[in-house]
């Protein structure tokens, strides 16, 4: 009997978490539509309950497809984007108008279209706003502590073929940082090398963690993340929501399960 998953939270203590659930879709488009619909539904439910939900976006190609579907489905959803707070799990430390910016990707795909409050969109610093990744990380940590609610409603994460999430990569020292919520990365194996990322404990400060994974290149990483607890081998294995962890997969990404 495998023990229930645990998640490391700030201060380094492990907390038991619910078992992950897996949802498999025919292809990337169906996956993106499902995630976008589920996100809008969660946001509307939170707002109906009088709350201002806080979500964390991720970068990458399936995230971009999800963002486009959010833009398409949002008008009929009843979500008031003026009452949603947006964060990122990681960001590339490049110029603000660099195509590599996760925030630029999200703004173009949906944020600029849905009427989100500018003050509620918390971008990680670019090279125009901070001297280096460490200063950018410190600034985001201060922003989170001042404007965050202590726990994200939904933390969305892409997964790399090596099992990385955000900018936390296998066998990198950042995986063991449990006394900070944001850190700077100098040597990302996935270009660009300079990044800012939430730490594992911060990624785990989420009610609901959603992994968005498409393509057979990720199949082994998905199988490892769902079958092991070795965070250093597969960082995605170390992130679990306090209320739920959902794996949104297409058939190709689920092919090794
Ligand atoms: O800034 C980043 O690069 C992302 O946050 C990164 O963690 C991404 O989500 C994965 O690498 C999956 O990316 P794909 O969906 O494009 O494979």
């Amino acid at each position: 009997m495998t023990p229930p998953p645990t998640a490391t939270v700030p201060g380094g203590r492990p907390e038991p978490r619910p078992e992950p659930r897996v949802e498999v879709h025919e292809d990337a488009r169906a996956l993106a539509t499902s995630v976008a619909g589920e996100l809008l539904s969660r946001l509307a439910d939170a707002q109906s309950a009088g709350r201002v939900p806080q979500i964390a976006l991720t970068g990458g190609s399936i995230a971009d497809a999800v963002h486009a579907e959010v833009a398409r489905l949002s008008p009929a959803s009843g979500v008031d984007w003026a009452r949603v707070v947006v964060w990122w799990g990681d960001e590339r430390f490049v110029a603000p108008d660099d195509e590599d910016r996760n925030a630029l990707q999200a703004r173009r795909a949906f944020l600029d279209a849905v009427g989100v409050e500018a003050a509620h969109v918390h971008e990680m610093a670019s090279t125009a706003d901070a001297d280096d990744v460490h200063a950018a990380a410190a600034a985001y940590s201060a922003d989170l502590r001042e404007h965050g609610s202590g726990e994200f409603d939904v933390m969305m994460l892409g997964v790399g073929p090596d099992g990385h999430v955000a900018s936390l990569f296998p066998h990198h020292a950042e995986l063991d940082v449990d006394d900070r919520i944001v850190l700077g990365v100098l040597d990302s194996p996935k270009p660009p090398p300079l990044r800012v990322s939430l730490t594992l404990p911060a990624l785990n400060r989420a009610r609901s963690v959603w992994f968005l994974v498409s393509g057979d290149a990720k199949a082994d990483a998905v199988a490892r993340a769902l079958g092991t607890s070795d965070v250093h081998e597969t960082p995605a294995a170390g992130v679990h929501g306090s209320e739920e962890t959902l794996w949104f997969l297409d058939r190709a990404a689920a092919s090794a399960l």
Side-chain angles (χ1 to χ4, degrees):
M1 172 76 173
T2 51
T6 58
T8 303
V9 294
R13 70 184 186 288
E15 278 181 2
R17 293 287 164 99
E19 290 291 336
R21 284 191 294 120
V22 177
E23 192 177 287
V24 182
H25 295 275
E26 190 56 36
D27 54 27
R29 175 62 191 269
L31 163 56
T33 302
S34 173
V35 174
E38 188 62 32
L39 177 65
L40 291 165
S41 167
R42 299 294 180 96
L43 295 176
D45 289 350
Q47 292 179 348
S48 300
R51 292 195 304 106
V52 179
Q54 305 227 356
I55 61 175
L57 304 180
T58 187
S61 52
I62 191 62
D64 204 29
V66 168
H67 297 162
E69 284 294 274
V70 170
R72 183 175 71 85
L73 298 172
S74 184
S77 70
V79 169
D80 174 6
W81 282 93
R83 294 193 300 125
V84 178
V85 180
V86 179
W87 303 88
W88 274 267
D90 76 328
E91 184 58 278
R92 291 83 177 280
F93 189 64
V94 291
D97 59 352
D98 189 306
E99 295 296 321
D100 271 343
R101 286 281 291 176
N102 292 334
L104 181 63
Q105 178 191 77
R107 284 187 182 281
R108 279 189 185 149
F110 80 107
L111 285 178
D112 288 348
V114 295
V116 67
E117 283 279 322
H120 287 171
V121 179
H122 298 272
E123 294 189 18
M124 292 176 167
S126 71
T127 51
D129 314 307
D131 292 338
D132 58 37
V133 292
H134 306 301
Y140 208 64
S141 179
D143 193 6
L144 258 173
R145 292 192 192 286
E146 183 177 353
H147 299 291
S149 60
E151 191 172 37
F152 297 101
D153 289 83
V154 180
M155 167 67 64
M156 284 181 278
L157 292 169
V159 178
D162 58 0
H164 79 259
V165 287
S167 292
L168 303 177
F169 293 88
H171 310 298
H172 278 233
E174 291 89 359
L175 289 166
D176 294 315
V177 174
D178 61 12
D179 61 349
R180 274 173 285 155
I181 54 176
V182 192
L183 54 72
V185 175
L186 298 169
D187 58 349
S188 168
K190 175 181 179 182
L194 297 180
R195 289 157 171 257
V196 183
S197 182
L198 297 189
T199 59
L200 272 183
L203 295 177
N204 280 307
R205 289 306 299 266
R207 288 192 178 86
S208 197
V209 168
W210 296 1
F211 293 102
L212 321 176
V213 198
S214 167
D216 52 20
K218 318 297 185 67
D220 288 344
V222 169
R224 287 200 314 273
L226 285 165
T228 174
S229 58
D230 183 346
V231 170
H232 295 93
E233 183 66 36
T234 309
V239 190
H240 302 272
S242 59
E243 293 176 7
E244 67 177 356
T245 301
L246 295 178
W247 285 78
F248 291 91
L249 308 175
D250 63 10
R251 285 196 185 290
S255 58
L257 292 180

